[in-house]
Amino acid sequence: MKLVIGGATGFVGTELLRQALENPAVTSIVGLSRRETKLPEGSSNTSGKLKSVVCEDLTGYPADLKKELGDVDACIWTIAITPSKMKETSWDEVVRITRDYTLTALHTMTEVRPVGDQKAPLRFIYMSGHFAPRDRSHVVKQLTDFGLAEVGLLRGALEAQILDYADQSKNRVVACIAKSGMIHGPGMDVRTVPGLPNIELHDIAAALLDQAVNGFQKNTLSNDDMVNMGQRVLAK
Ligand SMILES: NC(=O)c1ccc[n+]([C@@H]2O[C@H](COP(=O)([O-])OP(=O)(O)OC[C@H]3O[C@@H](n4cnc5c(N)ncnc54)[C@H](OP(=O)(O)O)[C@@H]3O)[C@@H](O)[C@H]2O)c1
């Protein structure tokens, strides 16, 4: 299968790439980012299955990139302005990178699929967060305390837009939302936020890759779902 990792240069994207390179079910990987996707430490691309695609503005895809995306089976989208980068980013830019980039990716990868294609629908996984309410009445104190209510709502609304687009797509795309808690991995400070669950980097990457390869169990995955899935996959 051909997999796109949107944000393959990031913390989660790099682990997804490491595991995808080792997974024989994944035969082709497109690392799509604003800068070159480097091989994770200890990984090799001897099979030549990784292609790095650099696109500085992901609100518009050049023709050669659209061509590259025509036969994609699954995409895991990790690009976003994360809470730690919010202070240095204008709200317009947060919206552009977090919402517009994601919707453009979803729409483009769906629309470039040949009409009448007998292939299974595109599987699109969107990495969101545990505290991303789809409704203002569900904004929790932790979000307001950290000044993250509006970005949480932006992401919750985006989750709903993605699921709605997939529902309306006549089975050209199926979508899955990954509502991750705090991800622990090498080089990350361990922080505790009341009510926010944790997940290990290798577990979440294994869970998302499993869903991309084998299909979605449900359209929204909680942090606990991904812990269980990831541990089960890695134990095999
Ligand atoms: N890490 C966590 O604990 C955690 C918890 C819950 C949810 N999540 C979500 O999981 C996803 C992945 O998180 P992560 O920790 O891997 O984030 P990350 O390391 O910051 O990486 C995210 C990706 O987004 C790209 N990106 C960031 N700003 C950009 C910009 N202005 N223009 C273009 N690309 C940009 C990064 O590119 P560069 O490499 O070039 O910067 C990278 O490829 C995000 O949606 C995040 O909100 C993360």
Side-chain angles (χ1 to χ4, degrees):
M1 71 170 298
K2 183 169 182 176
L3 173 71
V4 174
I5 302 174
T9 54
F11 173 58
V12 179
T14 302
E15 178 63 14
L16 284 168
L17 176 57
R18 193 185 66 74
Q19 293 191 19
L21 282 163
E22 289 174 5
N23 189 326
V26 182
T27 49
S28 173
I29 306 165
V30 177
L32 179 58
S33 296
R34 63 176 165 179
R35 60 192 171 93
E36 195 194 337
T37 299
K38 299 258 168 57
L39 274 177
E41 218 178 297
S43 294
S44 81
N45 190 28
T46 42
S47 57
K49 63 181 181 177
L50 171 64
K51 180 169 182 178
S52 166
V53 175
V54 176
C55 194
E56 280 177 20
D57 180 0
L58 286 165
T59 53
Y61 287 36
D64 56 342
L65 177 52
K66 285 186 178 172
K67 195 165 171 227
E68 178 72 46
L69 299 175
D71 57 350
V72 164
D73 297 291
C75 170
I76 305 176
W77 195 258
T78 74
I79 297 177
I81 301 293
T82 52
S84 61
K85 310 226 175 86
M86 284 287 293
K87 282 205 182 92
E88 64 209 46
T89 313
S90 70
W91 178 248
D92 284 354
E93 191 67 354
V94 171
V95 173
R96 198 172 76 88
I97 306 296
T98 303
R99 184 192 65 195
D100 299 351
Y101 274 20
T102 309
L103 290 178
T104 306
L106 172 67
H107 296 172
T108 306
M109 282 181 228
T110 305
E111 286 161 12
V112 295
R113 292 167 82 76
V115 177
D117 197 337
Q118 297 302 308
K119 281 175 80 153
L122 168 71
R123 293 178 185 145
F124 189 92
I125 300 179
Y126 171 60
M127 271 205 77
S128 184
H130 179 77
F131 290 140
R134 294 182 194 168
D135 185 304
R136 193 168 283 276
S137 66
H138 291 122
V139 172
V140 295
K141 184 173 177 300
Q142 293 89 326
L143 276 179
T144 39
D145 283 355
F146 286 94
L148 296 171
E150 291 312 313
V151 73
L153 283 163
L154 175 78
R155 300 197 71 166
L158 178 57
E159 295 177 6
Q161 283 173 283
I162 291 167
L163 293 175
D164 190 48
Y165 180 83
D167 281 349
Q168 306 288 325
S169 77
K170 300 197 171 92
N171 212 34
R172 295 184 79 193
V173 57
V174 287
C176 176
I177 309 297
K179 290 183 80 68
S180 167
M182 184 81 73
I183 303 169
H184 290 175
M188 276 288 151
D189 290 340
V190 176
R191 284 170 294 144
T192 306
V193 176
L196 184 63
N198 300 319
I199 187 164
E200 293 295 328
L201 178 62
H202 48 74
D203 288 339
I204 192 166
L208 297 185
L209 205 50
D210 174 68
Q211 296 294 289
V213 170
N214 298 312
F216 303 155
Q217 284 183 11
K218 45 186 175 170
N219 73 12
T220 301
L221 298 175
S222 69
N223 192 76
D224 282 354
D225 289 333
M226 293 184 279
V227 170
N228 293 334
M229 277 176 186
Q231 290 181 352
R232 199 187 58 236
V233 171
L234 292 174
K236 276 185 194 166

